[in-house]
Amino acid sequence: MMMVSSKTFSSLQFLSLLYLFTVTFASTEETTALLKWKATFNNQNNSLLVSWTPSSNACRDWHGVECVNGRVNELNITNSSVIGTLYAFPFSSLPFLENLNLSMNNFSGTIPPEIGNLTNLVYLDLNFNQISGTIPPQIGSLAKLQILRIYDNHLNGPIPGEIGYLRSLSKLSLGRNFLNGSIPASLGNLNKLFYFLLYDNQLSGSIPPEIGYLRSLTLLILNNNYLNGSIPASLGNLNNLSFLFLNDNNLIGEIPSFLCNLISLEELLMMRNNLKGKVPQCLGNINGLQVLMMSHNNLSGEIPSSISKLTSLKVLDLGRNNLEGAIPQCFGNISNLQVFDMHNNKLTGTLPTNFSIESSLISLNLHGNELEGKIPRSLANCKKLQVLDLGDNHLNDTFPMWLGNLLELRVLRLTSNKLHGPIRSSGAEIMFPDLRIIDLSDNTFSKDLPTSLFQHLKGMRTIDQTMKVPSYERDGDYEDSVVVVSKGLKLEVVKILSLYTIIDLSNNKFEGHIPSVLGELIAIRVLNLSHNRLQGYIPPSLGSLSVVESMDLSFNQLSGEIPQQLASLTYLECLNLSHNYLQGCIPQGPQSHTFESNSYEGNDGLRGFPVSKGCGNDPASETNYTVSALDDQESNSEFLNDFWKAALMGYGSGLCIGLSIIYFMISTGNMKWLERIIEELEHKINMRRRKKQRGQRNYRRRNNRIYTSYQQRRI
């Protein structure tokens, strides 16, 4: 056995002690520097950082701190509710730091240029803070950096070209800031980059062709900027990129056919640009494509039938373009398709008639085209359908009551077609159980309102604040939207299923009475039954619609009085009862004084605020009516009334005596006694009248104070 000399053993002991001393000293320096930084936080009592104390072991006990060989290697305090800045961060005292994650806190201020001292940094994450100012060019000194994430902050200014020096970078995410200027061409040097996210900024200029050199890219997300120019041909080299988001920019030109070379593409988003020309037929060759969204452009021509070959396609949105021709029948057979949106184009012909029983369709929007024919019965196979919008076409059919078997249907819009006839019940026990929006306006439906239909609308009987929009797998940025008429205005509403519950049956030929069962649909926010032939009374049950914001019953033949219950609708902002045969007093309530006279015009029998000066026993309006109308009448007749009362007081046994006295005075010509009596009576009457007028003035002042106080509370 080899023996170690005592001299050699002593040397080893010395080196070990020296190493331990060096490590301990360095860790103390790092600990002190981090404690100084913590001392600048605005919330010193942060529960997650309570472990950061001088007496504890930083490498072992501190939250978020990891060490290698006694030196701080990782600092991860994500989502720790820290309120502070980076100004006192020990950039120079942490030379071995590789991972720095400060995301999801409340850091503000700018990024100090000293960040360039962290030369061993591999991972930098500052997401979800309030960091402002520009990105310092010194960040280009972090040669080992592989992941740079500073999205969802308040950064401004240009993207520094020095980021192009970070040749090891694989993920670059600067989205959701206020960065401006152009995209630096130097970013084309990042040949290891596979995530490139600059969305939701204010970047302008064209897309640099150098981006096409990044052959490792799988995500290129440039949406929601001000980028212009055409799509560079070099992007056709990105045959690995599965997500390409160029939507919400100012891109021009035609959709280049070289995009069809991106055989790995799963999602292609190009909506809300200024693109023109045809949709390339070759897009049908991208077998794995799941989301294709090109709405809100100037695309023309026909819908490529080759797209129907994309068996993986889940979302197809080509709405708001100038597409024409017929919808290929084969689109009804795409079994995985969840969203089929072609609204506001110039499509003609009939709807597909072959929707299969395997259909995954959730939303079908063909609103605003020139489609004809009937509503295909095969839609009953789409058991998952939630949104059906066929409005503003030329469909000629009766009401499709058989759609009531679609248990998940929430939106049914058939407005502005040539639909006709009565709406009859199918006799089913369950019918439209989850419907939230039904718009049948501008058709020629006739006969009575469909009471049996209203009785089945269970989805409108409860106010559900947790209602969520439909969820589409891999849906990109798709959101359902409809145009609704609310408060007299046409509004495009997104997230429709969580915001609005609507019944719009206006501009038809409905007759009969308004069913009282409507009052049970308490979730209604918009009710429009205007421009029909409805008769009878307004049901008091409508006063139960506690969240209704807009109610339009105008241009009908309704009669009787306005129910007092409507005065209790505190959410009601728009009320239109004009052009009916209503009469009586207008109910007064918290919202009544916000409605103008045009809400009631064309009803000659109505009175009260705001159409006339007074009505019945309503104190607020009776004051004005009494003072202006009754005072004159009383002043003219009060004297005569009181005089004859006095003259006839002796009627009965004293009648003869009274007549004798009057005859004596007339025959002798002595009328002074009678004149004194008349003067005294007149004085008494005048005093009584003044007393009454003072009371009326006080009453009016009191009511004015009440009304003023009410208006101030409203403001």
Side-chain angles (χ1 to χ4, degrees), residues 210-225:
E210 289 81 0
I211 300 299
Y213 304 156
L214 307 178
R215 295 180 179 271
S216 299
L217 276 185
T218 60
L219 270 76
L220 178 57
I221 314 295
L222 304 178
N223 57 288
N224 289 87
N225 282 286

Side-chain angles (χ1 to χ4, degrees), residues 419-473:
L419 305 179
H420 53 85
I423 298 179
R424 304 293 190 192
S425 174
S426 65
E429 294 184 5
I430 299 177
M431 186 167 53
F432 297 107
D434 208 18
L435 202 62
R436 303 277 169 165
I437 295 178
I438 179 169
D439 186 353
L440 309 180
S441 60
D442 293 288
N443 284 286
T444 55
F445 289 114
S446 58
K447 302 298 182 181
D448 292 351
L449 288 176
T451 303
S452 59
L453 173 62
F454 300 143
Q455 290 172 337
H456 285 82
L457 300 179
K458 294 183 179 179
M460 298 188 184
R461 292 175 179 268
T462 56
I463 301 173
D464 187 357
Q465 302 292 348
T466 64
M467 177 63 65
K468 297 180 179 179
V469 299
S471 58
Y472 308 113
E473 299 175 19

Side-chain angles (χ1 to χ4, degrees), residues 440-621:
L440 309 180
S441 60
D442 293 288
N443 284 286
T444 55
F445 289 114
S446 58
K447 302 298 182 181
D448 292 351
L449 288 176
T451 303
S452 59
L453 173 62
F454 300 143
Q455 290 172 337
H456 285 82
L457 300 179
K458 294 183 179 179
M460 298 188 184
R461 292 175 179 268
T462 56
I463 301 173
D464 187 357
Q465 302 292 348
T466 64
M467 177 63 65
K468 297 180 179 179
V469 299
S471 58
Y472 308 113
E473 299 175 19
R474 311 295 292 273
D475 64 344
D477 287 344
Y478 185 80
E479 288 184 319
D480 286 297
S481 66
V482 296
V483 175
V484 301
V485 179
S486 175
K487 305 167 191 174
L489 300 174
K490 281 190 175 182
L491 306 173
E492 184 172 9
V493 181
V494 295
K495 298 183 179 178
I496 51 178
L497 305 185
S498 60
L499 292 179
Y500 276 86
T501 302
I502 299 170
I503 293 181
D504 191 345
L505 307 181
S506 62
N507 289 284
N508 280 284
K509 297 180 180 180
F510 287 114
E511 303 171 355
H513 295 243
I514 299 176
S516 60
V517 70
L518 275 174
E520 299 177 12
L521 308 181
I522 61 172
I524 293 178
R525 293 186 180 273
V526 177
L527 176 62
N528 192 346
L529 304 178
S530 66
H531 293 84
N532 280 287
R533 301 171 182 175
L534 301 176
Q535 300 175 343
Y537 300 116
I538 299 174
S541 62
L542 296 188
S544 300
L545 305 180
S546 57
V547 296
V548 69
E549 300 172 10
S550 176
M551 183 185 296
D552 192 346
L553 308 179
S554 64
F555 289 93
N556 280 288
Q557 300 169 21
L558 301 173
S559 59
E561 297 185 348
I562 301 174
Q564 181 65 38
Q565 289 83 349
L566 297 189
S568 64
L569 299 177
T570 55
Y571 279 77
L572 192 61
E573 296 181 16
C574 180
L575 175 66
N576 193 349
L577 303 178
S578 64
H579 300 284
N580 281 285
Y581 301 116
L582 299 172
Q583 58 186 1
C585 298
I586 297 174
Q588 301 299 312
Q591 292 293 95
S592 301
H593 293 284
T594 67
F595 304 139
E596 298 181 359
S597 59
N598 57 7
S599 294
Y600 308 100
E601 65 183 4
N603 293 279
D604 296 336
L606 285 179
R607 60 186 188 276
F609 183 85
V611 300
S612 68
K613 295 182 179 179
C615 183
N617 295 321
D618 175 30
S621 59

Side-chain angles (χ1 to χ4, degrees), residues 34 37-38 41 46 48-49 52 62-65 74-83 86 89 99-107 125 129:
L34 287 173
W37 178 49
K38 180 194 173 186
F41 294 170
N46 187 299
L48 290 175
L49 299 186
W52 287 29
W62 283 18
H63 168 75
V65 175
E74 178 178 338
L75 178 58
N76 182 354
I77 56 171
T78 181
N79 199 21
S80 297
S81 303
V82 176
I83 304 174
L86 299 179
F89 187 88
N99 297 319
L100 177 59
N101 189 344
L102 307 180
S103 63
M104 291 186 284
N105 284 290
N106 198 3
F107 285 106
D125 192 340
N129 281 288

